[in-house]
Amino acid sequence: MRDLYLAIDVGTGGLRSALVDRTGRILAFSHKEHEQIVPRFGWSEQRPADWWEGTCTTIGDVLEKVDNAANRVAAICACGQMHGSVLIDDDGNLTREAALLWNDKRNVALVEAFAKTISDEKALALAANLPAPAWPAFKLAWIAKNDPEAFARSATLLMPKDWINFRLTGKRAQDITEASLSFLMDWRSRQWSDELCAMTGVPRALLPELLTPSDVLGPLLPDVAAELGLSPDIPVLVGAGDYPMALLGSGVIGPGMGSDVTGTSSIITVTINKPLLDPEISNVISADGTWGAMTLLDAGGDAVRWARRAFHNNERSYASVAEDAEKAEAGANGLFFLPYLSGERFAKKRNSRAQFFGLKAEHGLADLHRAVLEGVAFSVRQKLERIEDLGGKPDRIVAASGGAKNALWLQIKASMYDVPYLVPEELECGVMGAAVLMAAGSGNEGGLGEAAAKMIRYTGEIMPDPAERDLYDRMMPIYNRLYDNAQHIYDDLDALMN
């Protein structure tokens, strides 16, 4: 009986494969690191060949870990780091050995020049997003200008997981989750936009067919099936970008749900029926087809990491630092922390600074550590309130990544936003999303909602504390005033240090 789902995740740090059963349990998992190439400051590349090597190695590993696994695989589905621009020629060969990744910023000058030619209103109306260095349209613009020979030989643009799909099936396609953050898709029709292609200089012929994540791309190529030790009739789904897939894999399905991915930074997403057209909000299609209004703050786990280094020289564990913060009362005895240690990516003043405000002689380390946690939550609440003003109020928020392991932080956030928080039992949410897609696509469940309800479980629900909620409601206007009043000082600080 084919009762296993083979999931592939093309990450920035490595390639992961997993076997998931019909109940949503990960039976086998394998990870192989690959190199991130940094030829210059701000540049970031990887070799797609390394992704394929990792795919073959990790699939072999997981098949060995489960009895009779090769004969039990029902489907294959991949997700992957978004925006990495892979170019292949007519014969399927790479035209550039390395692909520009999502965090490659060599095209900043091109993006800034382009942004001067288009108003925010028009960009949002066409793409539901503003120009940004991450988007593939502007990575292609850099390649066309700086590597014209490779660009001229290129026949198809693929994203990382699409290239793995191409190696598996020989089929060229992208999915709508990736395209929604390409600055090349018309958000209304969910098709490639001739107008955006003309504006950015991207040849329409480079863009392959657009499919939905749950579509079946095709069976395995016979020689690939033989190499992997799998049946050639196993269907390969189109899949999705890693973040949209993780939304599905954490149970964020349909309008009204929220997602909080707090790693080094904080990514907050609220699922909605249509994009929220605002300069500080990005809009992405999730793997279930709903839109997600997304905002990214550089403030997140990096602030906690900074406090551990600055106050303890990295000599104390994160757990002991969290225990310190738990000793402080909510509100940190009137102490505020603005957490903009690395500025802000989406703000009018991107050169923001961090600061403590309200320090008194009686404040101690516990207050400082709690203020850091609360400061990040205040900064997120600013963004959430903007999303809510535009119609994106979440009923529940699902937490993922490293921040989901800090119980105090989750309680602070639930009270700060007055929204219950959930934490998935399985934090490999990209893998879980792929498994849910396969379960629904293979007919084993009635649909995505039914598959997710069966396969995704939570450790519990964290409810807002009414007293803390009321306190944070009184503190929020003060935080907003601190934020606003500091804006005019940042340029002066820059001038002082130059």
Side-chain angles (χ1 to χ4, degrees), residues 256-259 268-272 276-278 280-281 293-295 377 380-397 413-421 473 476:
M257 290 287 288
S259 168
I268 305 299
T269 306
V270 179
T271 51
I272 48 179
L276 301 182
L277 304 183
D278 185 272
E280 294 189 21
I281 296 172
M294 176 178 69
T295 186
V380 170
R381 177 166 163 170
Q382 279 190 322
K383 303 294 187 182
L384 263 180
E385 287 181 345
R386 179 60 179 160
I387 292 175
E388 290 174 8
D389 288 344
L390 295 169
K393 170 73 173 176
D395 300 320
R396 293 181 299 166
I397 294 177
K413 291 175 177 181
S415 301
M416 179 79 72
Y417 316 144
D418 194 23
V419 177
Y421 257 69
D473 283 348
M476 191 70 215

Side-chain angles (χ1 to χ4, degrees), residues 365-376:
L365 269 177
D367 298 309
L368 292 170
H369 282 306
R370 176 146 192 154
V372 168
L373 298 178
E374 291 178 340
V376 172

Side-chain angles (χ1 to χ4, degrees), residues 162-173:
D162 301 320
W163 191 77
I164 295 299
N165 284 342
F166 173 71
R167 293 297 305 266
L168 290 170
T169 68
K171 302 291 180 63
R172 306 174 189 228

